[in-house]
Amino acid sequence: MATFMLLPGAGGSGWVWHLVARELAARGHRAVPVDLPSGDDDAGLGEYVDAGVAAIPTGAEDLAVVALSMGALTAPLVCERVPVRLLVLHNAMVPTPGETGGDWWQVTGQHAAMVEHALGIGLSEADLQDEAVLYGHDVPPALFAEEGERDSEQSGRPFADPWPLTRWPDVPTRVIAGRDDRLFPRDFQHRLARERLEIVPDDVDGGHLAALSHPEQVAALLHRYAAETFGADAG
């Protein structure tokens, strides 16, 4: 049995992972969705790491840290604090040493990639101002509405912190990209993973919130990674 720490993206509600957590439990794993202090203007990356570490169950073995979107700024830092055996990034802001989360958007060319993708599927740049179009296009409406209610207003504080590691943690790392992600388009994610991690991502159906729209596919990949990393006893 693996223990999966599930870190959310901006807004900070671990609830975004609740369907994936259910699927992982059905496969024999322990899943721990984590709430991050997104609404706290005094909380930087250090406090986000503290929240993650505090959520780890006592005696957890075969620990895997999984991060959605902005959660990828925090997940590798957790690996410096506790023994993590697997790191998974999903639709992620892959960081690099010394770069702030605020600078990441321009440095990576995210906006141009997002607009190019939108135009390619018949949307305009203006269409992307609608969160339902950008994030919720493939999520059942009731789930998308609840996700919005549970999230906090994301503070800009952690985006001001330079990413403090000098190199990527020495932890097996995998990347999952949503084929239909409109915020971080699939090809953009693949380029970033190759350039920054020398990793070719695995794809799942769904957009930025594939954890809500296609939880079975996300959980199936996590289960496979656990088996490959921890052996047959992991589930």
Side-chain angles (χ1 to χ4, degrees), residues 1 12 45 53 55-56 60-61 64 71 73 96 98 113 116 142 149 157 174 191 203 217 231:
M1 176 182 74
L45 289 180
V53 171
I56 299 171
E61 298 180 355
L73 303 179
T96 197
E116 180 181 5
E149 292 170 359
R157 171 65 183 81
R174 309 297 289 265
R191 173 177 64 80
D203 295 335
Q217 289 189 34

Side-chain angles (χ1 to χ4, degrees), residues 14 27 39 46 53 56 81 83 95 105 123 125 140 170 174 179 181-182 187 197 211 227 234:
R27 290 167 169 81
V53 171
I56 299 171
R81 292 270 301 274
W105 305 87
L123 299 174
E125 184 172 357
D170 187 19
R174 309 297 289 265
R179 293 186 180 92
D181 193 335
R182 295 177 178 177
D187 290 350
L197 299 174

Side-chain angles (χ1 to χ4, degrees), residues 144-152:
F144 185 64
E146 185 166 358
E147 193 269 340
E149 292 170 359
R150 288 177 176 269
D151 273 349
S152 302

Side-chain angles (χ1 to χ4, degrees), residues 80-165:
E80 298 295 293
R81 292 270 301 274
V82 296
V84 176
R85 295 190 59 195
L86 173 65
L87 178 58
V88 184
L89 310 181
H90 175 41
N91 292 339
M93 292 180 66
V94 181
T96 197
E99 180 182 84
T100 69
D103 289 338
W104 180 93
W105 305 87
Q106 182 174 359
V107 171
T108 61
Q110 178 273 338
H111 183 77
M114 178 180 68
V115 172
E116 180 181 5
H117 174 73
L119 295 176
I121 60 173
L123 299 174
S124 70
E125 184 172 357
D127 290 330
L128 301 177
Q129 300 303 310
D130 184 341
E131 291 193 352
V133 172
L134 184 58
Y135 300 109
H137 55 94
D138 64 328
V139 180
L143 281 178
F144 185 64
E146 185 166 358
E147 193 269 340
E149 292 170 359
R150 288 177 176 269
D151 273 349
S152 302
E153 187 71 25
Q154 176 60 53
S155 168
R157 171 65 183 81
F159 289 99
D161 289 344
W163 198 65
L165 300 187

